Amino acid sequence: MPTLLASLGVALTLARVAAPVEGAAPPRTVQLALTVGVDITVPASANLGTGFVGGVLTGQLGTVQVRDQRGNVNPNLWVATVSATAFTTAGGGAQRTIANGQIAYWSGPVVHSSGGGTLVPGQPTSAQAVTLNVTREAFRKTAGNGNNTVSWAPTIRVTVPATIVAGTYQGTITHSVA
């Protein structure tokens, strides 16, 4: 089955001092491939705000939605996955990169749903957060047929290395559904 991908550009700003640093708006990155009858949408971008070197920065990405319009296909199951690039700032290099293993994700519960089926969040609470050093399951439909829609509002937690330089860091969080 082809996969539909949607990417979300994410930016965060890091500082070594207590004063906040204003960050630039993150770029919009979207990649799409057709899965007939199933689509996923994500916000164009998100700014996680300002954090501090050696600290932890947590923020929501906005609402992610899967819409399955395959009708009476039985069963019409799907799995939404999530992955991330490293977050980098100008110049690159080890002191200008936050590895994707330092980026944790949890889907949270269903925010809104319609239609039938059993919808299961990948990580309902922060206690189940997973790092994005590999592709992870974000949400899934495990039973049912008929058209359905589900939305969730995932949270990202970035553990910022103490050895990193201050700056505006950007990366891409990619959601896909198949």
Side-chain angles (χ1 to χ4, degrees):
M1 172 184 300
T3 301
L4 179 68
L5 301 173
S7 297
L8 167 66
V10 178
L12 60 117
T13 304
L14 302 176
R16 285 200 178 273
V17 295
V21 176
E22 287 196 31
R28 179 179 178 169
T29 305
V30 177
Q31 301 171 328
L32 299 175
L34 181 63
T35 297
V36 177
V38 182
D39 62 52
I40 189 166
T41 57
V42 299
S45 64
N47 189 327
L48 297 180
T50 301
F52 297 96
V53 174
V56 175
L57 181 63
T58 303
Q60 286 196 314
L61 293 180
T63 302
V64 176
Q65 181 183 69
V66 170
R67 190 176 68 170
D68 185 345
Q69 298 295 307
R70 293 178 289 171
N72 290 327
V73 173
N74 190 9
N76 61 354
L77 311 179
W78 50 260
V79 176
T81 58
V82 61
S83 62
T85 64
F87 287 17
T88 60
T89 193
Q95 291 183 315
R96 298 177 185 274
T97 301
I98 301 172
N100 55 3
Q102 299 297 110
I103 303 165
Y105 174 99
W106 65 94
S107 59
V110 171
V111 172
H112 174 77
S113 67
S114 64
T118 304
L119 303 167
V120 181
Q123 308 79 28
T125 70
S126 61
Q128 290 89 33
V130 293
T131 58
L132 295 180
N133 57 328
V134 296
T135 300
R136 304 290 187 166
E137 183 176 301
F139 237 89
R140 100 175 14 241
K141 182 179 177 196
T142 61
N145 63 341
N147 295 337
N148 62 86
T149 302
V150 64
S151 300
W152 67 95
T155 302
I156 297 295
R157 181 178 56 229
V158 180
T159 303
V160 182
T163 57
I164 206 158
V165 299
T168 299
Y169 286 74
Q170 296 183 354
T172 302
I173 307 288
T174 302
H175 286 85
S176 63
V177 65

